[in-house]
Structure formats: structure tokens, C-alpha cells
Amino acid sequence: MLPEGSTTLYRQSNGRNGHMRMLGREITLSMLTAGLKRPWVALADLVYPPACPGCGVSVGAHRGLCPACWSRIRFIERPYCEILGSPFSHDLGAGILSAEALADPPVFDRLRSAAVHDGIVRDLVLSLKYPDRTDLAPMMAGWMLRASDGTVAACDAIIPVPLHRARLFSRKYNQAAELARHVAHLSGKPLLAATLLRVKRTSQQVGLGAKARQDNVRGAFAVSDHRAADIFGRRIVLVDDVYTTGATVAAATRALKKAGAADVTVLTFARVVGHLI
């Protein structure tokens, strides 16, 4: 027979003990899982030694660049245009916009990119896109999240620029979707991979001028009829691999805005930069 008032204490103590036992089991399971993975990771490293994706030299871990390649990357950091994210050569003050953003405001609300599209960055984009190097996507997505300037943290959902189903069939995967999937995983934000559709089969944008690119993707995107509620009133981050003239993401943004998106941030791994302002 427990003394009066001891029942509550017993239950609380028993609850704490149960919680500690559960926590202990979780820690043990986590350690066991890590222990089981370790030999396979070591075996994978032995069969496929970690190598710099830029030059192939041996590195300490997978998904990492060697110091020489890392030093050649031109990351895009402030100061830059608040709308287009165009890097400035010197600080012009807070909230400054580029002449391009003032003269021809984009349909999207802002653009953020991780790095300038040249050298090793261009090689990473091509490796992700064509030789099936999807293993690069987590590293690239981490750089994109860092470059997002808080827009991913503030968004309601992440959407990749889609491929037409015919091109997706021939290419087997969508590089923008791979990047978006990992950005969503790293940030904990919802990924809406089937909400925005590419309803028009377009020609390759490579080699086309700005006007031809706009004509090529005009009317190419639409929001699925059954998923309009995913977009209405929401803050969206639209993910693509490279920003060149902006024709593709502008056409995609128009479809999102037509469906009622409240705010659209374009987030790319790389962007073409002519010269610093």
C-alpha cells in the first residue's frame, strides 16, 4: 500500500523511466544502424574512392571538392541586386536594384543563385545533367540552400522546373527535380514535384537567343487542375539548375502566378553573369 500522494509520484517516475528506456533504445538502435552502415561505407570507399568531382583528385570524403577546385568557384554573395541577384563589384547600399531589374522587372519576385556559371560550376551542372551524376545533387543543393537568403526558410513549398514527359522518358530523370528534392530534404519544406507540369514539348534552349528562348517556352507550363490548391496564396521557391536569360523560369512563374501563388522565388545552382556592375 503506497502512502497518500505517492501514486502520482510513482506514475511520474515510472513515466520518466519509460521515456529514458525508450530514449535508450532509440540511441542503441541509432548506434547499431550506424555500426551496420560503417563497413558498407568503407567498402564503397574502397571500390569507389572519394574523388573531387571537378578534377578527379583523391579527397577525404564523397561529395567534396579539392582545395584547388574550391578556390576557383565564384560564389554569389552580397552585395547583389535584391531582385535579380546580380552581383555588384562593390557595395552600393542596402536594397539597391540593378539597371536591368528597374528597366525590365521580372515576373518572379526575386532570384537567388549559388555560383557563377563558369569553370568547375559549369562542369558540375553538365555532370548532373548528362552523365547521370545524381550523386552530386546533395552537395549542390546544400550550396543552394545557403544562397537562398532565407527564402527557403520562409517559403511554403518547393517546386522544380519540370521536364516534358517525352524528354523525361529519354533522360530518365529531371536534374531540377533532383536539386529540389535535396533542398526540400535539407530544409524540411514540402516538395511539390507533380504540381507544375510542362504541357508543351519545347526545343532545347541551348544556342537560342533571348527572344527565341521566350517564344520557345511561351505557354509551356501549367498547374495541374487537381493541385491548384497547392499553389493558391502560397510562397513558392521554384528550383532550376541554371539561370541564363530567365525565359524558362519566367514562363513557369507565370503559370504559378496564374494559379494564385502569392510569391515566387527562383533558386538556381548557377547563373550566367556577363560582368559585375
Side-chain angles (χ1 to χ4, degrees):
M1 186 77 176
L2 290 171
E4 186 178 353
S6 297
T7 305
T8 302
L9 292 174
Y10 174 78
R11 287 173 179 170
Q12 289 175 349
S13 176
N14 196 39
R16 282 195 297 269
N17 291 337
H19 176 72
M20 292 303 294
R21 284 195 297 272
M22 184 179 297
L23 182 60
R25 285 196 295 269
E26 290 176 356
I27 293 173
T28 303
L29 181 60
S30 176
M31 293 172 65
L32 177 61
T33 303
L36 291 172
K37 285 181 177 178
R38 198 172 294 118
W40 294 109
V41 171
L43 179 61
D45 286 351
L46 183 64
V47 178
Y48 301 104
C52 173
C55 65
V57 70
S58 295
V59 292
H62 290 287
R63 302 173 186 169
L65 297 177
C66 70
C69 287
W70 179 266
S71 66
R72 291 198 295 270
I73 295 176
R74 292 198 289 164
F75 289 103
I76 297 176
E77 298 177 324
R78 293 187 183 278
Y80 51 62
C81 170
E82 290 299 321
I83 292 180
L84 287 177
S86 309
F88 294 144
S89 59
H90 56 280
D91 195 347
L92 301 173
I96 296 296
L97 304 182
S98 63
E100 183 183 358
L102 292 170
D104 188 18
V107 64
F108 48 82
D109 294 277
R110 68 198 61 79
L111 165 68
R112 297 291 182 264
S113 303
V116 175
H117 186 250
D118 64 3
I120 176 63
V121 170
R122 181 176 57 242
D123 293 343
L124 289 173
V125 169
L126 292 175
S127 294
L128 173 66
K129 193 170 187 176
Y130 296 115
D132 296 347
R133 289 294 308 275
T134 54
D135 58 296
L136 297 174
M139 177 186 73
M140 297 164 73
W143 298 1
M144 293 168 69
L145 185 60
R146 175 180 175 273
S148 68
D149 195 28
T151 57
V152 170
C155 81
D156 297 306
I158 295 169
I159 293 180
V161 172
L163 289 177
H164 188 271
R165 59 182 179 273
R167 185 161 295 158
L168 181 60
F169 179 78
S170 63
R171 192 178 287 173
K172 301 174 186 173
Y173 66 92
N174 175 6
Q175 71 279 1
E178 287 297 305
L179 292 171
R181 180 166 66 89
H182 287 286
V183 169
H185 174 73
L186 290 171
S187 64
K189 294 293 182 175
L191 173 66
L192 305 180
T195 298
L196 183 65
L197 307 175
R198 199 164 193 143
V199 295
K200 172 185 169 185
R201 188 174 183 179
T202 57
S203 303
Q204 291 277 5
Q205 293 280 71
V206 178
L208 299 179
K211 180 64 167 60
R213 284 172 176 255
Q214 292 174 9
D215 294 339
N216 187 38
V217 294
R218 184 174 290 113
F221 301 97
V223 171
S224 171
D225 293 337
H226 305 295
R227 297 182 180 272
D230 294 345
I231 301 299
F232 188 80
R234 302 292 183 86
R235 296 163 296 179
I236 303 298
V237 169
L238 180 66
V239 171
D240 205 0
D241 56 348
V242 183
Y243 180 92
T244 308
T245 65
T248 299
V249 292
T253 298
R254 288 189 184 93
L256 293 172
K257 294 271 188 173
K258 184 178 179 181
D263 185 275
V264 177
T265 294
V266 174
L267 178 62
T268 70
F269 174 69
R271 64 163 294 159
V272 174
V273 174
H275 61 276
L276 297 183
I277 301 171

